[in-house]
Amino acid sequence: MALALQTFATVKDANAALKAQGSRYLGGGTLVVRAANEGDVSVSGLIRSTEPSLSAIVVAGGKVRIGASVTMAAIGGHPELGMLAKAARAVGGPAIRNMATIGGNLFAPAPYGDFAVALLALDATVSTEESETPIETFLANRDGSRAIVTSVGFTLPPQGGFRFLKVSRVKPKGISVLSIAAVLQQAPDGTISSAWIALGCMADRPMRARAAEKALLGRKLTEDGVAAALAAAGEGTAPITDPIASAWYRAEVLPVHLGRLLLA
Amino acid sequence: MAKVPVQFTLNGSETAEFVDSGTTLLHTLRDKIGDTSPKGGCHQGTCGACSVIIDGELRLSCLTLAETCDGAVISTTSGLSENGILHPLQRAFLDTFATQCGFCTPGMIMAAKVLLDHTPNPSRDEVVEALSGNICRCTGYEPIIQAVLTAARSNSQNAA
Ligand SMILES: Cc1cc2nc3c(=O)[nH]c(=O)nc-3n(C[C@H](O)[C@H](O)[C@H](O)COP(=O)(O)OP(=O)(O)OC[C@H]3O[C@@H](n4cnc5c(N)ncnc54)[C@H](O)[C@@H]3O)c2cc1C
Ligand code: FES
Ligand code: FES
């Protein structure tokens, strides 16, 4: 294995080095080193930056900014991010979570990317040195993205406003059959005034369940109230097939699990 | 390719080695330094046999590049016994028959050690969670869970 690692103190210098052919950014390495171990020769050089801001979590005035090198374990254990702990702890086992970064999760292909599903429901913004991009646009264009992601920002939903569910077959921890995140706002009478629902494994990357979101508006979280949303949940999806589950199976069980999440 | 110097503390001893850039910590420990307690099961992050403790955190040495460990404090299972006396976790694994072929054992013990370092009296669920990234193909897990709970009990008795 000929994999040269270069470490830079600043993101700026690391970004410049990333322009070289065959170079790839190294986050926690759980995907990129794994690929190299498996014989992927498309990567010949790894680049990383140790700039401290990449490892910072800032929570102020209801807004959150998480540096790209922050690990799932750090998010899962952060006292002010308790709402997201379930999603962070859904990623891998303890050792993986000590290594897996939020930056890397944005690039993880399905069945991975459970935390990116949560970020999509939170309508996060993905920052690089030069730009700030809504996560949905970022995910759509990620294959061509070369710039280092520096941080991810979002507004914390009100207490109880964020829901997350990961379905896996291996207990207590396994790869996703699917994952679902939802940020719901309810009017005082209990009807849904705003709904963002994100799905994992229902395409090659996290996607919004727009038809289900629309069908929830003005409805209550009762069996009758969510029925139209569940019927629409699969609209626009193209689930993956892998050793965990077939596309058919994923499509069949999606409404069941979305129903459990909404009625919980 | 030029070699890269790497220095870290391994089981209490200062260790220095020249490695090829991009070499994994697992390869460095086993084939350069000669500490064969971390095992290479899958090299994919899936089995946990290569687990080591780096700066107090459980990590997979097969997915960690040695260069990123410069200055780190690393513990492996081979550093656990003192003066020929087994660590309580090692003792408990033997006593409860939690090891058969033994391939997963050093990784299991590292995962259990991090748990007990932070949570001296874990619940059964906490033990299961702590071992959830480690695969054993022999024991069926139950004796391993019992071993960790037994070690926790013997630690707290010794402390009392
Ligand atoms: C055994 C095992 C179990 C796993 N289980 C899960 C799971 O349950 N759920 C899940 O979501 N994932 C899982 N994963 C996948 C993976 O660990 C996570 O998705 C993780 O968050 C990836 O982050 P990383 O920092 O390790 O990425 P890396 O491997 O470092 O990088 C992955 C890709 O992202 C790019 N990248 C990383 N950081 C940046 C950045 N800041 N800017 C630009 N590009 C960047 C890299 O160049 C590379 O192409 C698992 C992996 C393994 C090995
Ligand atoms: S060898 Fe590292 S997890 Fe299997
Ligand atoms: S004892 Fe053989 S793999 Fe666990």
Side-chain angles (χ1 to χ4, degrees):
Chain A
M1 180 176 72
L3 248 197
L5 172 68
Q6 287 176 273
T7 302
F8 296 92
T10 65
V11 170
K12 189 167 184 280
D13 290 346
N15 261 326
L18 261 181
K19 298 209 163 78
Q21 185 103 35
S23 62
R24 198 88 81 79
Y25 191 73
L26 173 70
T30 59
L31 289 172
V32 80
V33 176
R34 178 191 214 190
N37 285 351
E38 209 173 30
D40 179 350
V41 290
S42 69
V43 186
S44 51
L46 289 174
I47 310 284
R48 68 172 183 149
S49 169
T50 49
E51 193 167 306
S53 62
L54 293 175
S55 304
I57 299 180
V58 182
V59 185
K63 302 237 185 258
V64 181
R65 183 149 293 280
I66 304 179
S69 302
V70 171
T71 61
M72 293 299 131
I75 297 170
H78 194 282
E80 289 175 280
L81 299 179
M83 206 183 282
L84 298 179
K86 192 172 174 194
R89 291 188 192 141
V91 173
I96 288 284
R97 287 198 292 281
N98 286 333
M99 303 172 72
T101 67
I102 186 170
N105 209 265
L106 291 172
F107 291 89
Y112 299 136
D114 295 315
F115 200 78
V117 172
L119 291 172
L120 180 57
L122 289 163
D123 191 20
T125 304
V126 179
S127 300
T128 65
E129 278 220 306
E130 302 203 327
S131 67
E132 287 205 352
T133 315
I135 184 166
E136 201 170 6
T137 316
F138 176 85
L139 289 170
N141 300 324
R142 70 179 180 187
D143 301 343
S145 164
R146 293 288 293 164
I148 296 168
V149 171
T150 50
S151 68
V152 177
F154 53 88
T155 304
L156 267 183
Q159 202 59 37
F162 175 77
R163 298 167 186 229
F164 180 84
L165 173 98
K166 169 170 168 173
V167 182
S168 55
R169 295 184 185 216
V170 181
K171 302 288 180 241
K173 284 287 146 65
I175 311 285
S176 273
V177 169
L178 55 84
S179 50
I180 313 175
V183 174
L184 305 177
Q185 280 175 26
Q186 282 169 280
D189 69 351
T191 55
I192 298 291
S193 54
S194 154
W196 285 67
I197 302 173
L199 309 175
C201 296
M202 301 313 288
D204 69 343
R205 62 198 72 197
M207 63 172 288
R208 292 264 300 279
R210 282 214 155 74
E213 290 172 357
K214 211 167 139 204
L216 268 185
L217 294 179
R219 300 300 184 92
K220 290 196 172 163
L221 294 180
T222 59
E223 255 176 58
D224 285 348
V226 304
L230 303 193
E235 235 172 77
T237 60
I240 59 160
T241 288
D242 66 1
I244 307 288
S246 66
W248 175 85
Y249 180 80
R250 285 185 160 107
E252 284 292 306
V253 298
L254 171 65
V256 177
H257 293 294
L258 180 59
R260 286 182 189 161
L261 184 74
L262 294 176
L263 297 174
Chain B
M1 203 193 300
K3 302 265 185 199
V4 187
V6 186
Q7 260 184 305
F8 45 73
T9 306
L10 177 62
N11 298 325
S13 304
E14 287 301 318
T15 307
E17 197 51 73
F18 285 100
V19 298
D20 289 323
S21 187
T23 305
T24 63
L25 179 64
L26 177 64
H27 181 67
T28 307
L29 289 173
R30 289 182 59 86
D31 301 330
K32 290 276 201 171
I33 295 168
D35 179 351
T36 54
S37 63
K39 308 292 176 210
C42 64
H43 304 270
Q44 295 289 293
T46 315
C47 73
C50 66
S51 301
V52 299
I53 301 173
I54 303 178
D55 293 333
E57 287 185 347
L58 191 71
R59 302 276 181 121
L60 300 170
S61 61
C62 72
L63 299 181
T64 302
L65 300 187
E67 293 146 86
T68 62
C69 301
D70 204 38
V73 175
I74 303 178
S75 312
T76 67
T77 300
S78 66
L80 285 185
S81 64
E82 277 181 51
N83 304 322
I85 299 175
L86 293 182
H87 184 276
L89 272 167
Q90 293 172 303
R91 185 75 261 157
F93 267 65
L94 283 178
D95 290 347
T96 60
F97 300 100
T99 184
Q100 287 185 25
C101 80
F103 198 81
C104 70
T105 309
M108 290 284 181
I109 287 184
M110 286 289 102
K113 180 164 189 307
V114 176
L115 171 70
L116 297 190
D117 286 348
H118 295 111
T119 314
N121 286 305
S123 65
R124 187 192 153 85
D125 284 352
E126 285 171 322
V127 173
V128 170
E129 167 66 35
L131 302 178
S132 62
N134 295 66
I135 291 175
C136 175
R137 293 293 81 166
C138 303
T139 64
Y141 299 103
E142 197 51 43
I144 299 178
I145 296 165
Q146 288 311 323
V148 180
L149 291 169
T150 304
R153 275 196 298 274
S154 79
N155 277 344
S156 59
Q157 274 161 11
N158 290 344

